[in-house]
């Protein structure tokens, strides 16, 4: 009788452990490799030099495409690295930033707000010297706020607003801080 009771207790315990492990796997279903592609459009905010007033405008319209590959640690946190291609519409000016992105989904729902931050270094692909004034080159940092919608399984489509600080070639100043320009972009993306 003691052997039957011990076997029955062992079966119940193994069943409980198996059920708990299964529930844990479902709870962390988003853990694993992560791939994110997006397209964005916006403009660099520069000072209008034609007037004496400090008037700002988006006269440096640009577009961008990026791809990031990384790891999702749970349903909320993802970290990855990748590259972007940024081109300006009115100028023959492109750059290729290499970036690291951290993303945090605020909720674990079908529709969730998220925040993301990225840092990187923008490479100017041409060997022309001197480089054109105000070309993108050097450090880049940005923050994104947006909303993501689960599309299929763990895949998500998202829309976000990106604020960046972009380092540029600026022969008019030697100040490190003054070589940065703010930029606003709208980003549409999909993550796998």
């Amino acid at each position: 009788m003691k052997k039957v009771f011990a076997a029955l207790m062992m079966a119940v315990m193994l069943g409980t452990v198996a059920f708990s492990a299964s529930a844990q796997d479902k709870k962390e279903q988003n853990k694993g490799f992560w791939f994110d592609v997006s397209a964005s459009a916006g403009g660099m905010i520069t000072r209008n030099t034609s007037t004496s007033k400090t008037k700002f405008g988006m006269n440096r319209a640009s577009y961008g495409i990026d791809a990031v590959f990384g790891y999702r640690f749970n349903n909320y946190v993802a970290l990855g690295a990748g590259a972007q291609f940024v081109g300006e519409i009115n100028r023959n000016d492109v750059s290729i930033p290499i970036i690291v992105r951290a993303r945090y989904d605020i909720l674990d729902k079908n529709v969730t707000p998220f925040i993301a931050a990225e840092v990187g270094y923008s490479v100017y692909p041409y060997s022309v010297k001197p480089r054109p004034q105000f070309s993108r080159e050097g450090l880049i940092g940005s923050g994104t706020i947006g909303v993501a919608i689960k599309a299929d399984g763990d895949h998500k489509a998202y829309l976000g607003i990106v604020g960046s600080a972009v380092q540029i070639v600026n022969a008019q100043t030697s100040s490190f801080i003054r070589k940065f320009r703010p930029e606003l972009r709208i980003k549409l993306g999909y993550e796998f």
Side-chain angles (χ1 to χ4, degrees), residues 36-41 63-66 158 160 185-190:
D36 182 350
V37 293
S38 65
S40 62
Y63 60 92
I65 299 169
D66 62 55
Y158 65 89
R185 305 175 81 73
I186 294 177
K187 181 184 279 192
L188 180 63
Y190 195 80

Side-chain angles (χ1 to χ4, degrees), residues 114-185:
F114 72 89
I115 56 174
E118 59 188 43
V119 294
Y121 191 82
S122 198
V123 178
Y124 186 74
Y126 302 118
S127 61
V128 176
K129 293 194 180 188
R131 296 189 171 121
Q133 178 77 334
F134 306 121
S135 294
R136 300 163 185 268
E137 183 180 34
L139 298 173
I140 182 171
S142 66
T144 304
I145 58 170
V147 74
I149 301 168
K150 280 191 181 176
D152 178 30
D154 295 337
H155 301 180
K156 293 179 184 175
Y158 65 89
L159 178 67
I161 297 173
V162 183
S164 301
V166 180
Q167 190 175 16
I168 59 170
V169 174
N170 189 349
Q172 297 172 350
T173 181
S174 60
S175 169
F176 179 75
I177 299 296
R178 291 184 184 211
K179 292 189 183 221
F180 283 88
R181 293 290 185 265
E183 184 174 50
L184 289 175
R185 305 175 81 73

Side-chain angles (χ1 to χ4, degrees), residues 35-108:
F35 184 64
D36 182 350
V37 293
S38 65
S40 62
M44 191 178 293
I45 301 170
T46 57
R47 198 170 111 196
N48 188 348
T49 57
S50 64
T51 64
S52 60
K53 297 179 182 177
T54 54
K55 185 177 178 182
F56 291 85
M58 279 197 187
N59 59 356
R60 300 272 306 270
S62 62
Y63 60 92
I65 299 169
D66 62 55
V68 173
F69 182 73
Y71 191 79
R72 182 170 280 284
F73 296 95
N74 53 37
N75 292 347
Y76 302 99
V77 178
L79 180 65
Q84 297 176 329
F85 175 85
V86 179
E88 291 200 20
I89 294 171
N90 297 329
R91 293 170 38 128
N92 186 17
D93 190 11
V94 299
S95 69
I96 303 171
I98 308 300
I99 58 170
V100 174
R101 181 179 297 156
R103 177 177 158 137
Y104 180 74
D105 290 346
I106 296 171
L107 303 171
D108 185 17

